Amino acid sequence: MDVLALLGIGVLTGLTTVLFGFGGGFVAVPVVVWADGALGADAMRVATATSAVVMVVNAGFATAVTPHPTLAALRGGGPLLTLLAVGGALGALAARLAPSGPVRWAFTAYVALTLADLLLRPGFLKPQAPADGAGSPGRDSTLGSPGGAGLPAVLGAPIGAVAAFLGVGGSVLTVPAMRRAGHTMRTATTLANPLTLALALPAAAVSLLGHTAPVAARAGVPLVGTVDPRAAGALLLGALPVIAVLRRRPPRIGDRTHAWAYATLLAVVIAAMLALDA
């Protein structure tokens, strides 16, 4: 039954990878915490590590099938991608050392604060015009500043560290920033995938090479480092076909509806995490 649930959530992660740029990220964390509940306090650590592996594959696949003209917005973004990778590695290392309980509550609190920011601060539900005046909001041709689609390179390290430490994925931090730089939701979420890949790749490597928690053997949960390969495999099995189909035939969603759907999904994840803690 756990495998069927993971496959179902995998389909959802595929959908959110294409529509919201999550790559799996924080959508996968609650279900892995639930599936590996036998690990007790270590379930959150395993969930964030497993999420990183899922994000690498999903975001990598989604990036590979993204049209090159869209990815051209990241031309010159080498410093940003490098710092995202550095932050991702540091965040994953910190997650291995930190107590799982506080990380679990920090995950929920961070997503809740992000949701509040999206709803209360202008610029997300309705995009603002780019600062340089190029183009107009609501058009996919508006790609923001070169070298990171409107994201300053200096933000790479903290974004990567927070995303990897909490397992939330890069989209939760990068999409709002790109949205406020004047991007449409389609452009912001599409560009979130290569940015997520940059931070998730080193985070996944750190997780796979980490020491397996002793409780895993007693609970009968086979791990590779701190990653649950069974959960990751089931999530990816559900996600990859969805990504392949939706990248070829992306659904047409109004920009405002797309933004509200993003915020609604954050609320659902918060509710799921609170339910697990109940």
PDB file of all heavy atoms in Angstrom, residues 18-62:
ATOM      1  N   VAL A  18       6.438  20.205 -13.701  1.00  0.00           N
ATOM      2  CA  VAL A  18       6.157  20.937 -14.934  1.00  0.00           C
ATOM      3  C   VAL A  18       5.424  22.249 -14.644  1.00  0.00           C
ATOM      4  O   VAL A  18       5.778  23.304 -15.176  1.00  0.00           O
ATOM      5  CB  VAL A  18       5.325  20.072 -15.903  1.00  0.00           C
ATOM      6  CG1 VAL A  18       4.921  20.886 -17.133  1.00  0.00           C
ATOM      7  CG2 VAL A  18       6.119  18.844 -16.319  1.00  0.00           C
ATOM      8  N   LEU A  19       4.407  22.193 -13.788  1.00  0.00           N
ATOM      9  CA  LEU A  19       3.564  23.372 -13.580  1.00  0.00           C
ATOM     10  C   LEU A  19       4.179  24.391 -12.614  1.00  0.00           C
ATOM     11  O   LEU A  19       3.939  25.586 -12.747  1.00  0.00           O
ATOM     12  CB  LEU A  19       2.193  22.947 -13.050  1.00  0.00           C
ATOM     13  CG  LEU A  19       1.322  22.125 -13.993  1.00  0.00           C
ATOM     14  CD1 LEU A  19      -0.033  21.860 -13.368  1.00  0.00           C
ATOM     15  CD2 LEU A  19       1.158  22.823 -15.342  1.00  0.00           C
ATOM     16  N   PHE A  20       4.966  23.900 -11.636  1.00  0.00           N
ATOM     17  CA  PHE A  20       5.441  24.798 -10.591  1.00  0.00           C
ATOM     18  C   PHE A  20       6.955  24.781 -10.406  1.00  0.00           C
ATOM     19  O   PHE A  20       7.482  25.520  -9.579  1.00  0.00           O
ATOM     20  CB  PHE A  20       4.775  24.447  -9.258  1.00  0.00           C
ATOM     21  CG  PHE A  20       3.270  24.436  -9.333  1.00  0.00           C
ATOM     22  CD1 PHE A  20       2.567  23.266  -9.147  1.00  0.00           C
ATOM     23  CD2 PHE A  20       2.566  25.599  -9.608  1.00  0.00           C
ATOM     24  CE1 PHE A  20       1.179  23.246  -9.240  1.00  0.00           C
ATOM     25  CE2 PHE A  20       1.185  25.587  -9.688  1.00  0.00           C
ATOM     26  CZ  PHE A  20       0.486  24.413  -9.509  1.00  0.00           C
ATOM     27  N   GLY A  21       7.675  23.923 -11.140  1.00  0.00           N
ATOM     28  CA  GLY A  21       9.125  23.893 -11.050  1.00  0.00           C
ATOM     29  C   GLY A  21       9.663  23.275  -9.779  1.00  0.00           C
ATOM     30  O   GLY A  21      10.823  23.452  -9.443  1.00  0.00           O
ATOM     31  N   PHE A  22       8.826  22.504  -9.059  1.00  0.00           N
ATOM     32  CA  PHE A  22       9.253  21.975  -7.767  1.00  0.00           C
ATOM     33  C   PHE A  22      10.256  20.825  -7.892  1.00  0.00           C
ATOM     34  O   PHE A  22      11.043  20.596  -6.991  1.00  0.00           O
ATOM     35  CB  PHE A  22       8.045  21.480  -6.962  1.00  0.00           C
ATOM     36  CG  PHE A  22       7.146  22.578  -6.485  1.00  0.00           C
ATOM     37  CD1 PHE A  22       5.781  22.421  -6.487  1.00  0.00           C
ATOM     38  CD2 PHE A  22       7.669  23.772  -6.035  1.00  0.00           C
ATOM     39  CE1 PHE A  22       4.938  23.436  -6.051  1.00  0.00           C
ATOM     40  CE2 PHE A  22       6.845  24.801  -5.600  1.00  0.00           C
ATOM     41  CZ  PHE A  22       5.470  24.623  -5.608  1.00  0.00           C
ATOM     42  N   GLY A  23      10.199  20.061  -8.956  1.00  0.00           N
ATOM     43  CA  GLY A  23      11.108  18.932  -9.113  1.00  0.00           C
ATOM     44  C   GLY A  23      10.850  17.809  -8.135  1.00  0.00           C
ATOM     45  O   GLY A  23      11.593  16.843  -8.054  1.00  0.00           O
ATOM     46  N   GLY A  24       9.815  17.890  -7.382  1.00  0.00           N
ATOM     47  CA  GLY A  24       9.511  16.895  -6.347  1.00  0.00           C
ATOM     48  C   GLY A  24       9.555  17.572  -5.003  1.00  0.00           C
ATOM     49  O   GLY A  24       8.570  17.626  -4.274  1.00  0.00           O
ATOM     50  N   GLY A  25      10.742  18.088  -4.700  1.00  0.00           N
ATOM     51  CA  GLY A  25      10.960  18.932  -3.528  1.00  0.00           C
ATOM     52  C   GLY A  25      10.056  18.697  -2.350  1.00  0.00           C
ATOM     53  O   GLY A  25       9.908  17.576  -1.855  1.00  0.00           O
ATOM     54  N   PHE A  26       9.459  19.776  -1.882  1.00  0.00           N
ATOM     55  CA  PHE A  26       8.697  19.697  -0.641  1.00  0.00           C
ATOM     56  C   PHE A  26       7.421  18.874  -0.785  1.00  0.00           C
ATOM     57  O   PHE A  26       6.835  18.462   0.207  1.00  0.00           O
ATOM     58  CB  PHE A  26       8.375  21.103  -0.125  1.00  0.00           C
ATOM     59  CG  PHE A  26       7.315  21.816  -0.884  1.00  0.00           C
ATOM     60  CD1 PHE A  26       5.991  21.688  -0.538  1.00  0.00           C
ATOM     61  CD2 PHE A  26       7.645  22.634  -1.952  1.00  0.00           C
ATOM     62  CE1 PHE A  26       5.005  22.356  -1.231  1.00  0.00           C
ATOM     63  CE2 PHE A  26       6.665  23.309  -2.645  1.00  0.00           C
ATOM     64  CZ  PHE A  26       5.343  23.173  -2.293  1.00  0.00           C
ATOM     65  N   VAL A  27       6.969  18.609  -2.022  1.00  0.00           N
ATOM     66  CA  VAL A  27       5.795  17.749  -2.197  1.00  0.00           C
ATOM     67  C   VAL A  27       6.120  16.326  -1.743  1.00  0.00           C
ATOM     68  O   VAL A  27       5.275  15.612  -1.207  1.00  0.00           O
ATOM     69  CB  VAL A  27       5.341  17.762  -3.670  1.00  0.00           C
ATOM     70  CG1 VAL A  27       4.159  16.821  -3.882  1.00  0.00           C
ATOM     71  CG2 VAL A  27       4.967  19.173  -4.102  1.00  0.00           C
ATOM     72  N   ALA A  28       7.364  15.891  -1.970  1.00  0.00           N
ATOM     73  CA  ALA A  28       7.759  14.533  -1.622  1.00  0.00           C
ATOM     74  C   ALA A  28       8.024  14.355  -0.128  1.00  0.00           C
ATOM     75  O   ALA A  28       7.880  13.254   0.398  1.00  0.00           O
ATOM     76  CB  ALA A  28       9.016  14.147  -2.405  1.00  0.00           C
ATOM     77  N   VAL A  29       8.420  15.438   0.551  1.00  0.00           N
ATOM     78  CA  VAL A  29       8.835  15.304   1.946  1.00  0.00           C
ATOM     79  C   VAL A  29       7.734  14.740   2.849  1.00  0.00           C
ATOM     80  O   VAL A  29       7.972  13.775   3.585  1.00  0.00           O
ATOM     81  CB  VAL A  29       9.372  16.643   2.491  1.00  0.00           C
ATOM     82  CG1 VAL A  29       9.553  16.581   4.008  1.00  0.00           C
ATOM     83  CG2 VAL A  29      10.710  16.973   1.829  1.00  0.00           C
ATOM     84  N   PRO A  30       6.514  15.286   2.841  1.00  0.00           N
ATOM     85  CA  PRO A  30       5.490  14.734   3.752  1.00  0.00           C
ATOM     86  C   PRO A  30       5.204  13.255   3.520  1.00  0.00           C
ATOM     87  O   PRO A  30       5.041  12.494   4.477  1.00  0.00           O
ATOM     88  CB  PRO A  30       4.249  15.593   3.458  1.00  0.00           C
ATOM     89  CG  PRO A  30       4.788  16.857   2.892  1.00  0.00           C
ATOM     90  CD  PRO A  30       6.006  16.466   2.125  1.00  0.00           C
ATOM     91  N   VAL A  31       5.166  12.835   2.250  1.00  0.00           N
ATOM     92  CA  VAL A  31       4.818  11.434   1.982  1.00  0.00           C
ATOM     93  C   VAL A  31       5.954  10.492   2.378  1.00  0.00           C
ATOM     94  O   VAL A  31       5.707   9.367   2.839  1.00  0.00           O
ATOM     95  CB  VAL A  31       4.415  11.237   0.507  1.00  0.00           C
ATOM     96  CG1 VAL A  31       5.604  11.307  -0.419  1.00  0.00           C
ATOM     97  CG2 VAL A  31       3.696   9.894   0.336  1.00  0.00           C
ATOM     98  N   VAL A  32       7.206  10.923   2.233  1.00  0.00           N
ATOM     99  CA  VAL A  32       8.322  10.064   2.657  1.00  0.00           C
ATOM    100  C   VAL A  32       8.376   9.998   4.180  1.00  0.00           C
ATOM    101  O   VAL A  32       8.669   8.939   4.754  1.00  0.00           O
ATOM    102  CB  VAL A  32       9.654  10.548   2.058  1.00  0.00           C
ATOM    103  CG1 VAL A  32      10.810   9.696   2.565  1.00  0.00           C
ATOM    104  CG2 VAL A  32       9.613  10.499   0.533  1.00  0.00           C
ATOM    105  N   VAL A  33       8.095  11.111   4.846  1.00  0.00           N
ATOM    106  CA  VAL A  33       8.007  11.085   6.313  1.00  0.00           C
ATOM    107  C   VAL A  33       6.957  10.082   6.748  1.00  0.00           C
ATOM    108  O   VAL A  33       7.150   9.299   7.691  1.00  0.00           O
ATOM    109  CB  VAL A  33       7.675  12.490   6.863  1.00  0.00           C
ATOM    110  CG1 VAL A  33       7.302  12.418   8.343  1.00  0.00           C
ATOM    111  CG2 VAL A  33       8.865  13.429   6.677  1.00  0.00           C
ATOM    112  N   TRP A  34       5.820  10.080   6.052  1.00  0.00           N
ATOM    113  CA  TRP A  34       4.749   9.121   6.376  1.00  0.00           C
ATOM    114  C   TRP A  34       5.169   7.690   6.064  1.00  0.00           C
ATOM    115  O   TRP A  34       5.000   6.778   6.887  1.00  0.00           O
ATOM    116  CB  TRP A  34       3.491   9.480   5.581  1.00  0.00           C
ATOM    117  CG  TRP A  34       2.456   8.406   5.575  1.00  0.00           C
ATOM    118  CD1 TRP A  34       1.618   8.055   6.596  1.00  0.00           C
ATOM    119  CD2 TRP A  34       2.173   7.505   4.495  1.00  0.00           C
ATOM    120  NE1 TRP A  34       0.826   6.993   6.213  1.00  0.00           N
ATOM    121  CE2 TRP A  34       1.145   6.650   4.938  1.00  0.00           C
ATOM    122  CE3 TRP A  34       2.681   7.354   3.205  1.00  0.00           C
ATOM    123  CZ2 TRP A  34       0.611   5.637   4.128  1.00  0.00           C
ATOM    124  CZ3 TRP A  34       2.159   6.351   2.389  1.00  0.00           C
ATOM    125  CH2 TRP A  34       1.145   5.513   2.849  1.00  0.00           C
ATOM    126  N   ALA A  35       5.739   7.463   4.875  1.00  0.00           N
ATOM    127  CA  ALA A  35       6.108   6.110   4.459  1.00  0.00           C
ATOM    128  C   ALA A  35       7.200   5.519   5.344  1.00  0.00           C
ATOM    129  O   ALA A  35       7.226   4.309   5.591  1.00  0.00           O
ATOM    130  CB  ALA A  35       6.572   6.119   2.999  1.00  0.00           C
ATOM    131  N   ASP A  36       8.104   6.356   5.832  1.00  0.00           N
ATOM    132  CA  ASP A  36       9.214   5.891   6.669  1.00  0.00           C
ATOM    133  C   ASP A  36       9.006   6.262   8.134  1.00  0.00           C
ATOM    134  O   ASP A  36       9.958   6.501   8.873  1.00  0.00           O
ATOM    135  CB  ASP A  36      10.536   6.477   6.161  1.00  0.00           C
ATOM    136  CG  ASP A  36      10.975   5.845   4.853  1.00  0.00           C
ATOM    137  OD1 ASP A  36      10.498   4.746   4.539  1.00  0.00           O
ATOM    138  OD2 ASP A  36      11.774   6.467   4.124  1.00  0.00           O
ATOM    139  N   GLY A  37       7.759   6.305   8.545  1.00  0.00           N
ATOM    140  CA  GLY A  37       7.447   6.654   9.927  1.00  0.00           C
ATOM    141  C   GLY A  37       8.103   5.752  10.944  1.00  0.00           C
ATOM    142  O   GLY A  37       8.340   6.152  12.094  1.00  0.00           O
ATOM    143  N   ALA A  38       8.443   4.508  10.521  1.00  0.00           N
ATOM    144  CA  ALA A  38       9.102   3.572  11.442  1.00  0.00           C
ATOM    145  C   ALA A  38      10.475   4.061  11.872  1.00  0.00           C
ATOM    146  O   ALA A  38      11.025   3.579  12.870  1.00  0.00           O
ATOM    147  CB  ALA A  38       9.226   2.194  10.783  1.00  0.00           C
ATOM    148  N   LEU A  39      11.031   5.010  11.147  1.00  0.00           N
ATOM    149  CA  LEU A  39      12.354   5.542  11.493  1.00  0.00           C
ATOM    150  C   LEU A  39      12.291   6.569  12.617  1.00  0.00           C
ATOM    151  O   LEU A  39      13.330   7.034  13.093  1.00  0.00           O
ATOM    152  CB  LEU A  39      12.997   6.179  10.265  1.00  0.00           C
ATOM    153  CG  LEU A  39      13.321   5.238   9.099  1.00  0.00           C
ATOM    154  CD1 LEU A  39      13.903   6.025   7.938  1.00  0.00           C
ATOM    155  CD2 LEU A  39      14.288   4.149   9.537  1.00  0.00           C
ATOM    156  N   GLY A  40      11.094   6.936  13.016  1.00  0.00           N
ATOM    157  CA  GLY A  40      10.953   7.891  14.107  1.00  0.00           C
ATOM    158  C   GLY A  40      11.524   9.244  13.759  1.00  0.00           C
ATOM    159  O   GLY A  40      11.225   9.812  12.706  1.00  0.00           O
ATOM    160  N   ALA A  41      12.389   9.751  14.634  1.00  0.00           N
ATOM    161  CA  ALA A  41      12.950  11.091  14.441  1.00  0.00           C
ATOM    162  C   ALA A  41      13.797  11.186  13.183  1.00  0.00           C
ATOM    163  O   ALA A  41      13.960  12.267  12.615  1.00  0.00           O
ATOM    164  CB  ALA A  41      13.786  11.483  15.656  1.00  0.00           C
ATOM    165  N   ASP A  42      14.345  10.054  12.709  1.00  0.00           N
ATOM    166  CA  ASP A  42      15.191  10.084  11.509  1.00  0.00           C
ATOM    167  C   ASP A  42      14.384  10.142  10.224  1.00  0.00           C
ATOM    168  O   ASP A  42      14.963  10.303   9.147  1.00  0.00           O
ATOM    169  CB  ASP A  42      16.089   8.838  11.470  1.00  0.00           C
ATOM    170  CG  ASP A  42      17.228   8.917  12.470  1.00  0.00           C
ATOM    171  OD1 ASP A  42      17.809  10.014  12.604  1.00  0.00           O
ATOM    172  OD2 ASP A  42      17.530   7.901  13.120  1.00  0.00           O
ATOM    173  N   ALA A  43      13.064  10.019  10.299  1.00  0.00           N
ATOM    174  CA  ALA A  43      12.247  10.020   9.084  1.00  0.00           C
ATOM    175  C   ALA A  43      12.388  11.329   8.314  1.00  0.00           C
ATOM    176  O   ALA A  43      12.426  11.336   7.076  1.00  0.00           O
ATOM    177  CB  ALA A  43      10.784   9.769   9.442  1.00  0.00           C
ATOM    178  N   MET A  44      12.468  12.453   9.027  1.00  0.00           N
ATOM    179  CA  MET A  44      12.587  13.741   8.343  1.00  0.00           C
ATOM    180  C   MET A  44      13.923  13.848   7.627  1.00  0.00           C
ATOM    181  O   MET A  44      14.004  14.366   6.502  1.00  0.00           O
ATOM    182  CB  MET A  44      12.430  14.881   9.354  1.00  0.00           C
ATOM    183  CG  MET A  44      12.447  16.263   8.718  1.00  0.00           C
ATOM    184  SD  MET A  44      11.034  16.514   7.620  1.00  0.00           S
ATOM    185  CE  MET A  44      11.460  18.090   6.866  1.00  0.00           C
ATOM    186  N   ARG A  45      14.991  13.363   8.256  1.00  0.00           N
ATOM    187  CA  ARG A  45      16.316  13.415   7.627  1.00  0.00           C
ATOM    188  C   ARG A  45      16.318  12.580   6.340  1.00  0.00           C
ATOM    189  O   ARG A  45      16.866  13.003   5.316  1.00  0.00           O
ATOM    190  CB  ARG A  45      17.372  12.905   8.611  1.00  0.00           C
ATOM    191  CG  ARG A  45      18.794  13.009   8.092  1.00  0.00           C
ATOM    192  CD  ARG A  45      19.805  12.608   9.132  1.00  0.00           C
ATOM    193  NE  ARG A  45      19.838  13.554  10.243  1.00  0.00           N
ATOM    194  CZ  ARG A  45      19.396  13.288  11.468  1.00  0.00           C
ATOM    195  NH1 ARG A  45      18.888  12.099  11.738  1.00  0.00           N
ATOM    196  NH2 ARG A  45      19.466  14.191  12.414  1.00  0.00           N
ATOM    197  N   VAL A  46      15.713  11.400   6.408  1.00  0.00           N
ATOM    198  CA  VAL A  46      15.628  10.538   5.220  1.00  0.00           C
ATOM    199  C   VAL A  46      14.743  11.179   4.157  1.00  0.00           C
ATOM    200  O   VAL A  46      15.033  11.103   2.960  1.00  0.00           O
ATOM    201  CB  VAL A  46      15.090   9.147   5.614  1.00  0.00           C
ATOM    202  CG1 VAL A  46      14.771   8.308   4.362  1.00  0.00           C
ATOM    203  CG2 VAL A  46      16.113   8.419   6.486  1.00  0.00           C
ATOM    204  N   ALA A  47      13.671  11.842   4.581  1.00  0.00           N
ATOM    205  CA  ALA A  47      12.760  12.475   3.623  1.00  0.00           C
ATOM    206  C   ALA A  47      13.442  13.592   2.848  1.00  0.00           C
ATOM    207  O   ALA A  47      13.280  13.703   1.626  1.00  0.00           O
ATOM    208  CB  ALA A  47      11.531  13.010   4.352  1.00  0.00           C
ATOM    209  N   THR A  48      14.223  14.434   3.529  1.00  0.00           N
ATOM    210  CA  THR A  48      14.893  15.527   2.826  1.00  0.00           C
ATOM    211  C   THR A  48      15.975  14.989   1.880  1.00  0.00           C
ATOM    212  O   THR A  48      16.159  15.506   0.778  1.00  0.00           O
ATOM    213  CB  THR A  48      15.528  16.513   3.821  1.00  0.00           C
ATOM    214  OG1 THR A  48      16.443  15.819   4.686  1.00  0.00           O
ATOM    215  CG2 THR A  48      14.459  17.193   4.664  1.00  0.00           C
ATOM    216  N   ALA A  49      16.668  13.915   2.299  1.00  0.00           N
ATOM    217  CA  ALA A  49      17.689  13.316   1.444  1.00  0.00           C
ATOM    218  C   ALA A  49      17.050  12.659   0.220  1.00  0.00           C
ATOM    219  O   ALA A  49      17.532  12.816  -0.914  1.00  0.00           O
ATOM    220  CB  ALA A  49      18.484  12.279   2.237  1.00  0.00           C
ATOM    221  N   THR A  50      15.973  11.924   0.433  1.00  0.00           N
ATOM    222  CA  THR A  50      15.276  11.273  -0.672  1.00  0.00           C
ATOM    223  C   THR A  50      14.697  12.310  -1.623  1.00  0.00           C
ATOM    224  O   THR A  50      14.725  12.148  -2.850  1.00  0.00           O
ATOM    225  CB  THR A  50      14.160  10.367  -0.133  1.00  0.00           C
ATOM    226  OG1 THR A  50      14.728   9.428   0.792  1.00  0.00           O
ATOM    227  CG2 THR A  50      13.464   9.615  -1.258  1.00  0.00           C
ATOM    228  N   SER A  51      14.191  13.399  -1.053  1.00  0.00           N
ATOM    229  CA  SER A  51      13.664  14.493  -1.869  1.00  0.00           C
ATOM    230  C   SER A  51      14.738  15.052  -2.793  1.00  0.00           C
ATOM    231  O   SER A  51      14.463  15.376  -3.957  1.00  0.00           O
ATOM    232  CB  SER A  51      13.124  15.598  -0.953  1.00  0.00           C
ATOM    233  OG  SER A  51      12.802  16.759  -1.680  1.00  0.00           O
ATOM    234  N   ALA A  52      15.971  15.162  -2.311  1.00  0.00           N
ATOM    235  CA  ALA A  52      17.059  15.700  -3.131  1.00  0.00           C
ATOM    236  C   ALA A  52      17.309  14.814  -4.345  1.00  0.00           C
ATOM    237  O   ALA A  52      17.509  15.308  -5.467  1.00  0.00           O
ATOM    238  CB  ALA A  52      18.335  15.832  -2.304  1.00  0.00           C
ATOM    239  N   VAL A  53      17.297  13.498  -4.140  1.00  0.00           N
ATOM    240  CA  VAL A  53      17.513  12.569  -5.260  1.00  0.00           C
ATOM    241  C   VAL A  53      16.377  12.677  -6.269  1.00  0.00           C
ATOM    242  O   VAL A  53      16.602  12.704  -7.492  1.00  0.00           O
ATOM    243  CB  VAL A  53      17.647  11.132  -4.736  1.00  0.00           C
ATOM    244  CG1 VAL A  53      17.673  10.131  -5.890  1.00  0.00           C
ATOM    245  CG2 VAL A  53      18.912  10.996  -3.895  1.00  0.00           C
ATOM    246  N   VAL A  54      15.151  12.734  -5.774  1.00  0.00           N
ATOM    247  CA  VAL A  54      13.990  12.867  -6.668  1.00  0.00           C
ATOM    248  C   VAL A  54      14.083  14.165  -7.461  1.00  0.00           C
ATOM    249  O   VAL A  54      13.798  14.205  -8.667  1.00  0.00           O
ATOM    250  CB  VAL A  54      12.679  12.805  -5.856  1.00  0.00           C
ATOM    251  CG1 VAL A  54      11.472  13.146  -6.727  1.00  0.00           C
ATOM    252  CG2 VAL A  54      12.507  11.413  -5.252  1.00  0.00           C
ATOM    253  N   MET A  55      14.504  15.241  -6.795  1.00  0.00           N
ATOM    254  CA  MET A  55      14.621  16.531  -7.475  1.00  0.00           C
ATOM    255  C   MET A  55      15.671  16.486  -8.579  1.00  0.00           C
ATOM    256  O   MET A  55      15.478  17.081  -9.643  1.00  0.00           O
ATOM    257  CB  MET A  55      14.958  17.636  -6.477  1.00  0.00           C
ATOM    258  CG  MET A  55      13.792  18.080  -5.623  1.00  0.00           C
ATOM    259  SD  MET A  55      14.156  19.591  -4.693  1.00  0.00           S
ATOM    260  CE  MET A  55      15.326  18.984  -3.475  1.00  0.00           C
ATOM    261  N   VAL A  56      16.788  15.798  -8.340  1.00  0.00           N
ATOM    262  CA  VAL A  56      17.836  15.719  -9.355  1.00  0.00           C
ATOM    263  C   VAL A  56      17.284  15.107 -10.633  1.00  0.00           C
ATOM    264  O   VAL A  56      17.463  15.637 -11.744  1.00  0.00           O
ATOM    265  CB  VAL A  56      19.036  14.895  -8.847  1.00  0.00           C
ATOM    266  CG1 VAL A  56      19.959  14.526  -9.999  1.00  0.00           C
ATOM    267  CG2 VAL A  56      19.811  15.683  -7.807  1.00  0.00           C
ATOM    268  N   VAL A  57      16.604  13.979 -10.492  1.00  0.00           N
ATOM    269  CA  VAL A  57      16.110  13.274 -11.686  1.00  0.00           C
ATOM    270  C   VAL A  57      14.981  14.054 -12.350  1.00  0.00           C
ATOM    271  O   VAL A  57      14.991  14.278 -13.566  1.00  0.00           O
ATOM    272  CB  VAL A  57      15.644  11.853 -11.317  1.00  0.00           C
ATOM    273  CG1 VAL A  57      15.135  11.120 -12.563  1.00  0.00           C
ATOM    274  CG2 VAL A  57      16.782  11.070 -10.675  1.00  0.00           C
ATOM    275  N   ASN A  58      14.003  14.485 -11.564  1.00  0.00           N
ATOM    276  CA  ASN A  58      12.872  15.202 -12.142  1.00  0.00           C
ATOM    277  C   ASN A  58      13.295  16.528 -12.773  1.00  0.00           C
ATOM    278  O   ASN A  58      12.928  16.847 -13.909  1.00  0.00           O
ATOM    279  CB  ASN A  58      11.811  15.478 -11.078  1.00  0.00           C
ATOM    280  CG  ASN A  58      10.959  14.264 -10.779  1.00  0.00           C
ATOM    281  OD1 ASN A  58      10.970  13.280 -11.522  1.00  0.00           O
ATOM    282  ND2 ASN A  58      10.212  14.312  -9.692  1.00  0.00           N
ATOM    283  N   ALA A  59      14.068  17.321 -12.026  1.00  0.00           N
ATOM    284  CA  ALA A  59      14.494  18.620 -12.550  1.00  0.00           C
ATOM    285  C   ALA A  59      15.438  18.455 -13.734  1.00  0.00           C
ATOM    286  O   ALA A  59      15.399  19.235 -14.687  1.00  0.00           O
ATOM    287  CB  ALA A  59      15.165  19.436 -11.441  1.00  0.00           C
ATOM    288  N   GLY A  60      16.299  17.435 -13.669  1.00  0.00           N
ATOM    289  CA  GLY A  60      17.210  17.180 -14.786  1.00  0.00           C
ATOM    290  C   GLY A  60      16.459  16.798 -16.044  1.00  0.00           C
ATOM    291  O   GLY A  60      16.745  17.300 -17.141  1.00  0.00           O
ATOM    292  N   PHE A  61      15.472  15.923 -15.905  1.00  0.00           N
ATOM    293  CA  PHE A  61      14.678  15.501 -17.059  1.00  0.00           C
ATOM    294  C   PHE A  61      13.867  16.668 -17.612  1.00  0.00           C
ATOM    295  O   PHE A  61      13.806  16.896 -18.825  1.00  0.00           O
ATOM    296  CB  PHE A  61      13.761  14.349 -16.650  1.00  0.00           C
ATOM    297  CG  PHE A  61      12.947  13.785 -17.780  1.00  0.00           C
ATOM    298  CD1 PHE A  61      13.534  13.418 -18.980  1.00  0.00           C
ATOM    299  CD2 PHE A  61      11.574  13.611 -17.646  1.00  0.00           C
ATOM    300  CE1 PHE A  61      12.785  12.896 -20.027  1.00  0.00           C
ATOM    301  CE2 PHE A  61      10.815  13.094 -18.673  1.00  0.00           C
ATOM    302  CZ  PHE A  61      11.425  12.737 -19.870  1.00  0.00           C
ATOM    303  N   ALA A  62      13.240  17.431 -16.714  1.00  0.00           N
ATOM    304  CA  ALA A  62      12.439  18.577 -17.148  1.00  0.00           C
ATOM    305  C   ALA A  62      13.309  19.618 -17.852  1.00  0.00           C
ATOM    306  O   ALA A  62      12.888  20.230 -18.840  1.00  0.00           O
ATOM    307  CB  ALA A  62      11.722  19.204 -15.954  1.00  0.00           C
TER     308      ALA A  62
END
